[in-house]
Amino acid sequence: MAGYLTTHVLDTARGCPAAGLRIELFRLEGGARVSLAEAWTNADGRTDAPILPPGRFAAGVYELVFHAGAYFGAASASPPFLDEIPVRFGLSEASVHYHVPLLLSPYGYSTYRGS
């Protein structure tokens, strides 16, 4: 069984999934950030498919960048308090499903290893 990576975003300020939020995925290789994927969240706050599917999954260090400033748009201050939120993490097991959710408001966020 091959591993894969999923994510979702919950808007804790509004109490709903964060639909239409742009997410980028990078792999860190020798100090360089290599772009792997770009996706937008759907009505459930999730990407339509794993952001890193089984065929492209490998152990290593990754970074998800959540574009919170654009998501909150006109409702946030200018400049926004939170704009791009990078979450850097390591994936060590090649056959595991990793899930990295983001709980988000205009002034704070948290993340964890989900299931």
Side-chain angles (χ1 to χ4, degrees):
M1 174 191 210
Y4 60 102
L5 173 66
T6 58
T7 186
H8 78 272
V9 184
L10 299 175
D11 182 334
T12 59
R14 297 176 182 150
C16 63
L21 188 140
R22 180 176 164 225
I23 303 168
E24 294 177 285
L25 175 66
F26 298 90
R27 180 178 169 91
L28 277 70
E29 296 179 359
R33 289 171 66 211
V34 178
S35 179
L36 298 180
E38 179 180 51
W40 282 260
T41 56
N42 60 24
D44 194 33
R46 300 175 184 275
T47 57
D48 289 330
I51 195 155
L52 185 59
R56 299 184 61 206
F57 185 93
V61 177
Y62 292 84
E63 184 175 274
L64 285 168
V65 177
F66 298 90
H67 291 266
Y71 167 74
F72 286 114
S76 67
S78 182
F81 181 71
L82 293 174
D83 190 10
E84 294 180 1
I85 300 171
V87 177
R88 191 170 288 180
F89 52 93
L91 306 179
S92 60
E93 299 178 58
S95 64
V96 174
H97 169 207
Y98 287 89
H99 184 66
V100 180
L102 185 75
L103 305 176
L104 177 64
S105 84
Y107 301 103
Y109 65 91
S110 65
T111 188
Y112 56 95
R113 181 178 173 183
S115 59

